[in-house]
Amino acid sequence: MEFIAKKADIATLSTQCAVVFCKDGKLMASASHLDTEQNGLLTHQLSIKAISPTAGSHLWLTLAPTKSAKHSKALLVQLGESKKKSTDITIEDVRKICQKLASTLNSAKLKDAAVFFDSALPASGDCTLEKLAHTLALEIERASYRFSLKAGTKNTPATLKKVVFVATNSAETKTLRNGANTGSAMGKGINTARELGNLPGNICTPNYLAEQAKQLAAGCKKLTTKALGEKQMERLGMGAFLSVSKGSDQEGKLILLEYKGAAANKAPHVLVGKGVTFDTGGISLKPGANMDEMKFDMCGAASVLGTFKALVELDAKVNVVGIIAAAENMPSGGASKPGDVVTSMSGQTIEILNTDAEGRLVLCDALTYAERYKPKSVVDIATLTGACVVALGNHAAGLYSNTQSVADALLKAGEETHDRAWQMPLWDDYQRQLDSNFADMGNIGGMPGGSITAACFLSRYTKKYPWAHLDIAGVAWHSGAKKGATGRPVSLLVNYLLNN
């Protein structure tokens, strides 16, 4: 998708569709100009209540040809009615309006459109013109995503290829451009994560993820990547990771990405993604119902690759390392058994009490590997526990951290992008649930506080740097009729990296 910001007016800009706005029963400036050109067409539609007063409602208009007409269609979008004395448009209003507008434009078989951002559109408050442009560009990118592997059908891309954000002056042009650039980059990153998450496990294998990292790096001089195989990981002592990957015919991979956009002496942020490309549960086999959704167990890895896609698009001035722990969890004759004891890269021993608690086993070695980067912060992202879904549902990711300033920054990033997280306790009181008679720790702590004890397990491998853990099991995908990956928490991560 191409986004262009330029100064123009509705009388001179040529486009397939002019998007204009109304609020409180009145036309905004560009809509009013179009109304004059069309002999009162828009005011007539308002007078007969052809458009609902609900924010985000829209009305398609076929325009009469005139000597000066530069477009044949217009889309009149409702900003809503003021319920308070203030006429401010909040960011929540904007998000809902932009989602509806993006869906409408992407389903209209248009090749291009122009959105007329009249100066008065974002009145004040928490909705700035840049946030408005950012949100609309992100939602247009997200709405353009298509996925299908059905026989006899084509994965037909959206027809919309170009959107012009129209400003009324030069200062607004720069603001709109900045907002559109960051929004578009985040949207592309989200769609990258969605695509990887939606692919089935027989396509999206650990090696496939490694190849996707290579392809991403191929077009960017600031990004390099490599993948460690099982022999290399064995030499490093990654016994916890290998206890999972050895049960599969697919070789496990530790995929490393290094994005160097800032000065070499600036410590990088490190993102660690759980990339279990299919999770049967291993010997502790999962029930068959809904097991197909375990292809989504690599959505942490997908979010890391999606975040790097956004960084590349933005040419971001940051240093970031990505570590993806990619493996399948299968119940072969070589798979780990409940009761096995393995030694992690850190030297700590682990009694595997349940082979379906495999995510923390691949992650703990990846977190130890992260030490060599002397990171500013480490954030791991994982579809780790069903217990987190029980605790928080499908709206917020669970957030744990050993450094409150990191937690605060991630919470703020989530609020600003509406990709929210909720901080959970990481108290020492929970650590005793991981006690084992035969090793330094067990890999599960029992049913009470399952998401918390999983985070406690990971915390034992993160004592040398500021760390946070995002349990995204509830937010990484939708089930049911709208089943599919969401691309979360790419927008949270990008915002965090750009601002910290």
Side-chain angles (χ1 to χ4, degrees), residues 300-365:
S303 72
V304 172
L305 287 170
T307 298
F308 273 80
K309 171 67 173 177
L311 296 177
V312 169
E313 289 287 328
L314 287 168
D315 192 28
K317 305 299 187 287
V318 292
N319 291 336
V320 186
V321 172
I323 304 175
I324 292 173
E328 278 190 338
N329 188 23
M330 301 292 282
S332 78
S336 294
K337 307 171 292 296
D340 286 356
V341 174
V342 297
T343 303
S344 67
M345 186 181 177
S346 71
Q348 298 175 93
T349 57
I350 305 163
E351 183 184 12
I352 300 175
L353 298 171
N354 188 321
T355 65
D356 194 23
E358 86 298 332
R360 64 201 72 181
L361 296 176
V362 298
L363 285 173
C364 71
D365 281 342

Side-chain angles (χ1 to χ4, degrees), residues 335-487:
S336 294
K337 307 171 292 296
D340 286 356
V341 174
V342 297
T343 303
S344 67
M345 186 181 177
S346 71
Q348 298 175 93
T349 57
I350 305 163
E351 183 184 12
I352 300 175
L353 298 171
N354 188 321
T355 65
D356 194 23
E358 86 298 332
R360 64 201 72 181
L361 296 176
V362 298
L363 285 173
C364 71
D365 281 342
L367 289 167
T368 300
Y369 192 89
E371 291 175 8
R372 65 189 55 205
Y373 295 102
K374 296 179 173 54
K376 185 176 181 181
S377 75
V378 175
V379 181
D380 78 72
I381 311 100
T383 49
L384 206 62
T385 66
C388 191
V389 187
V390 174
L392 296 175
N394 304 111
H395 301 290
L399 169 64
Y400 302 84
S401 183
N402 63 11
T403 305
Q404 192 57 44
S405 60
V406 174
D408 290 342
L410 287 165
L411 290 169
K412 181 181 178 182
E415 287 294 334
E416 289 179 350
T417 58
H418 200 66
D419 190 356
R420 294 174 292 186
W422 187 261
Q423 189 169 6
M424 302 280 280
L426 193 64
W427 302 331
D428 286 342
D429 308 61
Y430 292 98
Q431 292 281 359
R432 66 176 64 97
Q433 290 178 231
L434 296 170
D435 288 350
S436 164
N437 290 345
F438 305 106
D440 292 322
M441 70 198 80
N443 75 325
I444 57 171
M447 186 173 291
S451 179
I452 300 171
T453 54
C456 286
F457 179 95
L458 295 178
S459 73
R460 299 184 179 200
Y461 300 85
T462 63
K463 297 185 184 299
K464 295 184 179 180
Y465 47 70
W467 160 79
H469 161 59
L470 287 169
D471 191 334
I472 62 168
V475 302
W477 76 91
H478 295 302
S479 298
K482 294 184 178 180
K483 183 163 62 177
T486 63

Side-chain angles (χ1 to χ4, degrees), residues 78-90:
Q78 176 65 262
L79 296 177
E81 294 180 330
S82 298
K83 297 178 181 178
K84 304 176 184 178
K85 290 183 179 180
S86 170
T87 58
D88 290 355
I89 303 169
T90 69

